[in-house]
Amino acid sequence: MNVLQGSGRRLAAVRRQPAVSVVLGFAGLIAVGTLLLSMPFATESGEPTGLIVALFTATSAACVTGLIVVDTPTYWSTAGEVIILVLIQLGGLGIMTLASLLSLLVFRRFGLRMRLTAQAETKTLGLGDVRRVVGRILLLSLLFELVVAVALTARLVTGYGLGFGRAVYEGVFHAVSAFNNAGFALRTDNLMGFVTDAWFCLPIALAVIAGGLGFPVWLELFSRLRQPRRWTLHTKITVWVTVVLLIGGSVVVTAAEWTNPGTLGPLSWPGKLLAGFFAATMTRTAGFNNLDIAEMHSGTLLVHDVLMFIGGGSAGTAGGIKITTFALLAFVILAEIRGEPTVHVMGRRLPEGVQRQALTIVLIAVGVVVLSVLLLQAITPFGLDAVLFEVVSAFATVGLSTGITAQIPALGQILLVVLMFIGRLGPITLASALALRERGRRYELPEERPIVG
């Protein structure tokens, strides 16, 4: 009886800590994916896959990253590719659903109204709310994926002469991979063969942007598209900063690589503009590449690092520290430079607790990246540019690589697995845990100012 009571108390404790449930759920998904991918039927050769390769691929798929240690179309059988596709879909839907539900829980914790579902009057998350959120996320995801899959299928049939069945298969696979910001592709060169094909690249890019905005943003856009002044602060920040980063990133990447013979140099100017935009869009944590990343200039790789680290919108399929976290810290710095006592953002005052949460997430993320770079450089012969790029790509669940992933020793690949898992779940669970743990203090100590700077 005591054992049963102890187990019951532990289960109840897990339920009271949503972040724990999120971590356990994704760990279970990765474990099942690893088991399935290690089976002989999952490979073209019919041989079982080693544990590290299966674990790395399952983690990359479930965490919608896209980093690979074996060539997807030649190593995995059709069954293996379908397993990867299912992991991507479940991982993307899971992260959107769980992040949205955690957001709803956090907002109700403070007695606010969240327009994910009907207006909230209690501080508990009801079964009806969960069903509505999950149903809407599923419908939204399938709608975007269907539209993109149809566009890609039509292009593969009319432009490349693929049979209808194969075109549908590739169209669906790439549509799901794109909307979930995964970056897995069914071509050995990823999407480099489509570098100047706007009819193929633009649907992929739009799906990546759509998945990266997040469910709360799309729900509000559908209901208030023509009323931007009534958008919530979260939607305003996510939309406008996304636009700025997409335009700014496209301009910088295109200008930096314009004459590079290994990337944009051989292309016509329309092709350069398309490829530059696509490359900048993929840093939104998608992982597709239509240019050879290894041939890019060091400065371009650094720009990629920054954009990947920022990532996409909250409660979406993108990774990184999230756009809102980056933007809020920028507003905090701006207010401090101006000497303002409080932080005002687009007509709203930013709570101090949110500022501390954003700062905590960024500093922990920087610490994780720096420590991982040091460890990976210690066990590999690669330079700082390549190692930093690989680490940021894994932590931000991007999937872009300079081509060193398969050459990293087993210990380094395990480190990347841990980074993908932390990067996928860390910002979400940390932000919700910090918000749910916030409480008042009954007293304050005497104030003293240390020297700063």
Side-chain angles (χ1 to χ4, degrees):
M1 180 64 71
N2 291 334
V3 174
L4 293 176
Q5 289 176 347
S7 299
R9 284 194 295 268
R10 285 193 292 271
L11 289 174
V14 169
R15 293 191 188 100
R16 289 195 297 269
Q17 301 178 28
V20 175
S21 302
V22 174
V23 172
L24 293 177
F26 266 81
L29 178 62
I30 291 171
V32 172
T34 300
L35 178 63
L36 292 175
L37 289 176
S38 65
M39 297 296 177
F41 63 78
T43 64
E44 287 284 5
S45 64
E47 297 292 329
T49 300
L51 175 62
I52 293 180
V53 173
L55 174 63
F56 192 99
T57 305
T59 304
S60 184
C63 295
V64 291
T65 304
L67 286 175
I68 56 174
V69 289
V70 292
D71 185 39
T72 302
T74 59
Y75 185 87
W76 302 109
S77 64
T78 300
E81 292 170 358
V82 171
I83 292 170
I84 292 173
L85 185 65
V86 172
L87 290 173
I88 292 171
Q89 185 70 290
L90 293 178
L93 285 174
I95 213 66
M96 288 184 71
T97 303
L98 293 170
S100 298
L101 292 175
L102 285 174
S103 300
L104 181 60
L105 185 62
V106 168
F107 272 85
R108 293 191 175 189
R109 164 68 175 78
F110 296 103
L112 300 178
R113 292 179 180 179
M114 180 98 174
R115 295 191 180 273
L116 285 170
T117 57
Q119 293 184 350
E121 298 298 338
T122 67
K123 294 183 180 179
T124 58
L125 191 60
L127 181 60
D129 297 325
V130 174
R131 287 176 176 172
R132 279 191 291 271
V133 172
V134 173
R136 291 178 180 181
I137 289 175
L138 181 61
L139 180 62
L140 176 73
S141 301
L142 294 180
L143 177 63
F144 274 113
E145 291 169 357
L146 176 62
V147 172
V148 175
V150 170
L152 296 180
T153 300
R155 182 56 181 164
L156 290 171
V157 170
T158 59
Y160 297 90
L162 262 67
F164 182 73
R166 180 64 189 180
V168 169
Y169 177 64
E170 289 198 19
V172 171
F173 189 98
H174 289 101
V176 173
S177 184
F179 179 76
N180 290 288
N181 280 219
F184 279 88
L186 294 179
R187 304 294 175 100
T188 299
D189 62 354
N190 204 275
L191 300 185
M192 291 176 63
F194 303 96
V195 62
T196 58
D197 188 348
W199 294 103
F200 193 90
C201 289
L202 288 181
I204 292 283
L206 293 177
V208 168
I209 295 171
L213 285 177
F215 172 69
V217 172
W218 276 112
L219 187 61
E220 188 162 8
L221 290 179
F222 285 144
S223 60
R224 298 178 176 178
L225 180 60
R226 298 182 180 181
Q227 300 172 304
R229 292 184 178 181
R230 297 184 59 193
W231 292 353
T232 61
L233 181 60
H234 172 77
T235 298
K236 290 179 181 178
I237 291 176
T238 302
V239 171
W240 296 122
V241 176
T242 295
V243 171
V244 170
L245 292 179
L246 283 174
I247 295 176
S250 300
V251 170
V252 172
V253 171
T254 303
E257 297 294 316
W258 190 268
T259 58
N260 186 344
T263 55
L264 297 182
L267 306 179
S268 62
W269 72 264
K272 292 179 180 180
L273 295 178
L274 174 64
F277 168 74
F278 189 87
T281 302
M282 294 308 107
T283 61
R284 315 305 299 153
T285 80
F288 291 111
N289 67 283
N290 61 356
L291 298 173
D292 189 351
I293 302 295
E295 294 294 327
M296 289 184 173
H297 297 309
S298 296
T300 309
L301 293 180
L302 183 59
V303 172
H304 276 61
D305 291 336
V306 173
L307 293 174
M308 291 190 299
F309 186 76
I310 295 172
S314 301
T317 55
I321 61 171
K322 301 298 185 294
I323 286 174
T324 44
T325 305
F326 167 75
L328 292 180
L329 282 187
F331 283 116
V332 170
I333 293 173
L334 182 61
E336 188 64 26
I337 292 174
R338 291 175 174 176
E340 298 174 347
T342 56
V343 181
H344 290 183
V345 182
M346 299 180 183
R348 294 290 186 271
R349 183 172 61 85
L350 194 64
E352 292 183 1
V354 175
Q355 300 174 39
R356 293 195 300 270
Q357 293 161 21
L359 182 61
T360 301
I361 291 172
V362 171
L363 289 181
I364 291 178
V366 170
V368 170
V369 168
V370 171
L371 179 60
S372 300
V373 169
L374 292 175
L375 292 175
L376 202 57
Q377 276 214 294
I379 61 176
T380 65
F382 305 112
L384 179 60
D385 284 347
V387 171
L388 177 61
F389 193 94
E390 199 79 10
V391 167
V392 174
S393 181
F395 174 77
T397 65
V398 181
L400 294 174
S401 175
T402 57
I404 69 172
T405 312
Q407 304 172 48
I408 295 174
L411 183 60
Q413 291 178 358
I414 292 174
L415 174 61
L416 293 180
V417 167
V418 174
L419 276 174
M420 287 187 285
F421 191 79
I422 293 175
R424 178 71 279 180
L425 301 178
I428 298 170
T429 55
L430 180 59
S432 61
L434 290 174
L436 292 172
R437 282 171 57 88
E438 186 172 321
R439 57 185 182 272
R441 178 180 290 169
R442 297 182 180 181
Y443 64 93
E444 290 290 345
L445 297 174
E447 182 178 290
E448 181 176 351
R449 294 177 64 89
I451 297 175
V452 177

